[in-house]
Amino acid sequence: MTHEMTYSSELTIDLDALAANYRNLRDHVTPAQCGAVVKADAYGVGAMRVVPALYREGCRTFFVAQLCEAMELRDVVASDCTVVILNGLDPGAEDSCADQGFVPALNAPGALHRWRDTARRRRQRLPAALQFDTGMSRLGVDAAMAQALADDPSFAEEVELRLVMTHLASADEPDAMSNAAQLNRFEAMAALFPGVPRSIANSFGSALPRAFHNDVVRAGIALYGVPLPAGAAAIRPVVSLRARVLQTREIPAGTGVGYGLTYTAPDVRRLATLAIGYADGWPRALSNRGAACHNGVRLPIVGRVSMDSIMVDISALDAGALQEGDLVELIGPGQSLDQVAADAGTIAYEILTSLGRRHARSYLERGITTACIAGDVR
Ligand SMILES: *Cc1c(COP(=O)(O)O)cnc(C)c1O
């Protein structure tokens, strides 16, 4: 079947850069293993494409947030891989999880009891990760519960612990006192389960001292192109985004622009309307903030971001430099994902996971670009 390749905006995902990022992270943390966090459809980038690309680089541990994400990835995760479900077990999910051999992170007492009950009922020792809350107050059992489990011989008969883990509250702040405090608490709790592999670090944790790398690093955002501090693994951008010019116009001084006329041209201006809006994950917080970019020239956003379009000031370009139908850069060499996030008052994670399905996608892999029509990411 052939698709007519028309599109208003284009998301390009460089899987070769992703693979290089994986190799650099892996080499930086070795002898620790580098696992990959592919939750939320690999941060919106497309887990069906990301998982095989990382498998080829030797990645064998994948982390998702939910059972449904693990289910969707069944066909692309090879049998020699481990899939850890970070949010653990929803009530009623126990048998599906056990049938598939997924490894739930046991975070809370209820899930722990349900998993142990399931193991007894099925007469089967079931795999799990055990998460400790070491100070973030998000997910994980406390020290007393960890001690009780370690003291209970039937726990080890029912549950085969594959990983003990915790999550850092401030991994991106290398000087935060809380990092060392969490590491100390983690080591005390992990010592209750000798021989079980340990995991603390996310992407930014890989940039912390070696004591934080432990046995398995859980790399997410760095794989998808957000740079780490100097001295850590080198990271290449993975995602670029472009949108078409729908219309250009020249407006006289005093003309209002967009919903609410929140921008008024101080003098004569040339504008372009671009085919991207908040329904495409381009945040409405970028109204009268942030920019697009064309051949290195910054094109400030003027007026409010609409659902399907934005207006940018193209007065800095030569007349005629942008025409209807041309593609303009929103994320790329002229404007990083981190810059967009900063302009919008948020983080790259939120921009990436919001980009959504309306963009046409193309994947660059082993030097070859393949296109998918908008919405069709498989
Ligand atoms: C999302 C997540 C990660 C990955 O974090 P990054 O900052 O994207 O590297 C690692 N561990 C846990 C528990 C997570 O929830």
Side-chain angles (χ1 to χ4, degrees), residues 37 39 43 63 86-87 131 138-139 165-167 200-204 218-222 224 349:
V37 182
K39 61 193 179 188
Y43 294 38
F63 296 87
L86 291 169
N87 272 4
Q131 176 151 219
R138 184 174 75 169
L139 288 171
M165 58 177 282
T166 194
H167 195 53
I200 304 183
N202 63 350
S203 298
F204 283 91
R218 307 186 303 270
I221 197 74
Y224 308 112
Y349 301 74

Side-chain angles (χ1 to χ4, degrees), residues 66-303:
Q66 302 181 356
L67 176 65
C68 63
E69 297 176 327
M71 289 287 192
E72 279 177 16
L73 292 176
R74 265 181 309 182
D75 296 340
V76 291
V77 174
S79 54
D80 58 340
C81 293
T82 300
V83 178
V84 180
I85 303 175
L86 291 169
N87 272 4
L89 271 178
D90 290 324
E94 298 83 8
D95 282 307
S96 316
C97 193
D99 289 345
Q100 298 296 331
F102 298 142
V103 179
L106 300 175
N107 299 318
L112 257 161
H113 289 134
R114 283 186 284 108
W115 200 231
R116 298 181 65 179
D117 285 347
T118 307
R120 284 194 296 270
R121 174 168 51 75
R122 294 172 64 112
R123 299 174 191 286
Q124 187 185 1
R125 196 161 175 248
L126 293 176
L130 182 62
Q131 176 151 219
F132 305 136
D133 174 21
T134 57
M136 186 177 173
S137 310
R138 184 174 75 169
L139 288 171
V141 301
D142 62 16
M145 179 104 207
Q147 184 70 60
L149 291 170
D151 290 344
D152 177 356
S154 56
F155 176 64
E157 287 160 20
E158 293 152 1
V159 173
E160 178 203 344
L161 272 192
R162 298 271 194 88
L163 196 68
V164 288
M165 58 177 282
T166 194
H167 195 53
L168 295 171
S170 305
D172 56 343
E173 296 170 42
D175 299 328
M177 306 277 285
S178 64
N179 290 331
Q182 286 195 267
L183 179 62
N184 285 336
R185 286 188 207 114
F186 178 71
E187 285 181 343
M189 287 161 89
L192 299 169
F193 303 92
V196 177
R198 302 176 180 191
S199 177
I200 304 183
N202 63 350
S203 298
F204 283 91
S206 79
L208 295 175
R210 198 154 282 285
F212 288 89
H213 300 171
N214 278 280
D215 299 305
V216 184
V217 169
R218 307 186 303 270
I221 197 74
L223 292 173
Y224 308 112
V226 168
L228 297 174
I235 297 297
R236 278 161 54 183
V238 169
V239 169
S240 52
L241 178 66
R242 301 190 297 169
R244 290 214 193 267
V245 175
L246 297 171
Q247 190 171 6
T248 61
R249 71 182 74 248
E250 189 172 278
I251 56 172
T255 309
V257 176
Y259 282 122
L261 305 176
T262 58
Y263 175 84
T264 305
D267 46 39
V268 63
R269 290 290 150 128
R270 276 183 295 116
L271 305 185
T273 303
L274 308 183
I276 191 165
Y278 57 79
D280 303 294
W282 195 254
R284 194 166 174 275
L286 288 173
S287 299
N288 291 304
R289 299 176 60 84
C293 186
H294 189 63
N295 295 335
V297 179
R298 191 172 182 275
L299 309 176
I301 295 171
V302 291

